[in-house]
Amino acid sequence: MEPASPSQPHPAAPSQAAPSQAAPSQAAPVPADPETPRLAEREGRRPRDMVMSLLVLIVPIALLMTFYRVVLDGDEPISVDAAPAIQQASKEFPVAQPAGLGDDWHIASATFRRETGGATLRIGYVDRDDDPVLLVQSTVEAATLVPAEVGKEGKRSGTFRDDVRTWMVYDGRPGEIALISTEQKRTIIILGRTDQENLEQLAAALP
């Protein structure tokens, strides 16, 4: 029987390495700011390009405005049919209707109203200077009608005569002039913020 071999020592387990000391931390380098992207000179929008863009918008608008004004008479005031109001008023008093005013006069409004003391027809015009003029015909007493239409501060400033009537000229509210004719069956007032010649033209057109 062979003698037992001397026991061989077991290989020593590798010793765990001591933890290495951490290297001192260093701040991460900050990347340099990238260069701001810029358009090349030829890529930018030049003033000429802006002008051309505006022309593309302006030219069609100008053509439309020209068509509206020249072909469709877009600048002309819209005329109102005064016939219904005149027909109602004619049942209450004889209505004087102007004749021969011309195409540069337009009816802008027409109303008839029965009120305390009588009935009143009001027809609004746009005269040849594009100013508003009001023609009032009423059976209301002149002492009540005139202050209401002309203003309590209205004062007589003269006289105007045409082929049919003699009119009293009044300075009414600021900027307004009035022509007044008192008759047996009605009182007629023409007033507006316009030249007196325009008021006289309307007065002379009344039969």
Side-chain angles (χ1 to χ4, degrees), residues 118-143:
T120 302
L121 172 66
R122 293 180 176 87
I123 301 178
Y125 290 87
V126 177
D127 68 14
R128 56 190 178 185
D129 293 331
D130 293 332
D131 294 322
V133 175
L134 181 62
L135 170 62
V136 180
Q137 302 181 62
S138 179
T139 57
V140 176
E141 291 290 334

Side-chain angles (χ1 to χ4, degrees), residues 36-94:
T36 303
R38 299 177 182 275
L39 291 174
E41 183 178 355
R42 293 185 178 181
E43 294 177 331
R45 193 167 187 179
R46 295 173 295 177
R48 180 182 177 184
D49 298 330
M50 297 179 67
V51 172
M52 294 299 295
S53 298
L54 289 175
L55 287 177
V56 171
L57 295 174
I58 292 174
V59 170
I61 294 175
L63 292 175
L64 287 174
M65 291 299 295
T66 301
F67 178 81
Y68 175 72
R69 292 180 176 179
V70 176
V71 179
L72 301 180
D73 292 331
D75 288 338
E76 294 294 330
I78 299 176
S79 295
V80 173
D81 183 10
I86 292 174
Q87 184 176 6
Q88 287 182 296
S90 298
K91 299 176 182 179
E92 304 292 333
F93 55 84

Side-chain angles (χ1 to χ4, degrees), residues 84-168:
I86 292 174
Q87 184 176 6
Q88 287 182 296
S90 298
K91 299 176 182 179
E92 304 292 333
F93 55 84
V95 176
Q97 300 185 51
L101 282 177
D103 296 336
D104 48 2
W105 283 75
H106 302 273
I107 298 176
S109 63
T111 59
F112 171 74
R113 182 179 178 182
R114 294 180 179 87
E115 48 197 346
T116 303
T120 302
L121 172 66
R122 293 180 176 87
I123 301 178
Y125 290 87
V126 177
D127 68 14
R128 56 190 178 185
D129 293 331
D130 293 332
D131 294 322
V133 175
L134 181 62
L135 170 62
V136 180
Q137 302 181 62
S138 179
T139 57
V140 176
E141 291 290 334
T144 301
L145 181 68
V146 172
E149 299 294 337
V150 178
K152 296 180 179 179
E153 299 79 12
K155 295 181 180 180
R156 184 173 178 179
S157 59
T159 303
F160 166 69
R161 293 181 177 85
D162 59 28
D163 294 338
V164 180
R165 299 176 182 85
T166 298
W167 300 82
M168 296 177 288

